[in-house]
Amino acid sequence: MRIAIASDHAALDLKAELRDWLIEQGHEVADLGPDTADSVDYPDFGYKLANVVADGTAERGVALCGSGIGISMSVNRNPAMRCALVSEPLSAALAREHNDANCIAMGARLTGSDMAMACLEAFLTTEFAGGRHQRRVDKLSNPEI
């Protein structure tokens, strides 16, 4: 699977661990940065990640920041994105099964690397259930606000 991963400076180490783990699992990984621990703005990397997944360059995305909150908000500004903030494997699986999430977000200051890998595995191995969930997912990309 083609997976894009991005973070801010607070999640640089977790991003490197997850990137390497994904490659070991046989995935093609695009690391969208950052490359150093210098302070950066998470929206810049969230937007970049969203664009790569939305245009089909990557099939799924992994967004990381200190809490996971800010970067998930920035990813979700793109109407093609369904990024779920997760902290354990069940929420990662349900995000895929019920919401057809194409990206997950996690907080490096809140989620350790073993738990993050478990969340990522659940996210990547769970299929979208479709059926009654499809009409709800359709509404996420076409809101009638």
Side-chain angles (χ1 to χ4, degrees):
M1 188 177 296
R2 292 182 324 273
I3 301 166
I5 189 168
S7 72
D8 69 357
H9 55 280
L12 187 68
D13 292 340
L14 181 60
K15 178 176 65 86
E17 285 184 65
L18 294 179
R19 179 196 61 222
D20 294 348
W21 180 80
L22 286 165
I23 292 168
E24 288 172 12
Q25 301 303 307
H27 298 286
E28 181 183 327
V29 180
D31 184 340
L32 304 179
D35 299 321
T36 71
D38 296 340
S39 182
V40 297
D41 296 331
Y42 60 79
D44 297 334
F45 292 90
Y47 297 154
K48 183 189 277 189
L49 177 64
N51 289 335
V52 167
V53 175
D55 75 12
T57 302
E59 297 167 79
R60 304 260 177 90
V62 180
L64 307 165
C65 69
S67 67
I69 297 168
I71 201 162
S72 67
M73 289 178 172
S74 62
V75 169
N76 281 324
R77 299 290 294 170
N78 185 315
M81 297 305 296
R82 293 173 305 280
C83 182
L85 176 59
V86 302
S87 59
E88 38 66 42
L90 179 58
S91 60
L94 289 172
R96 282 287 309 134
E97 184 179 353
H98 292 184
N99 308 111
D100 197 19
N102 52 10
C103 184
I104 59 170
M106 293 180 280
R109 294 180 179 143
L110 306 173
T111 307
S113 60
D114 289 341
M115 183 60 73
M117 285 179 218
C119 290
L120 193 46
E121 183 169 358
F123 173 69
L124 296 174
T125 59
T126 303
E127 295 295 323
F128 175 50
R132 65 188 169 95
H133 302 289
Q134 185 63 58
R135 80 175 189 290
R136 297 169 185 143
V137 170
D138 292 342
K139 289 180 179 185
L140 291 173
S141 296
N142 301 297
E144 295 180 14
I145 298 174

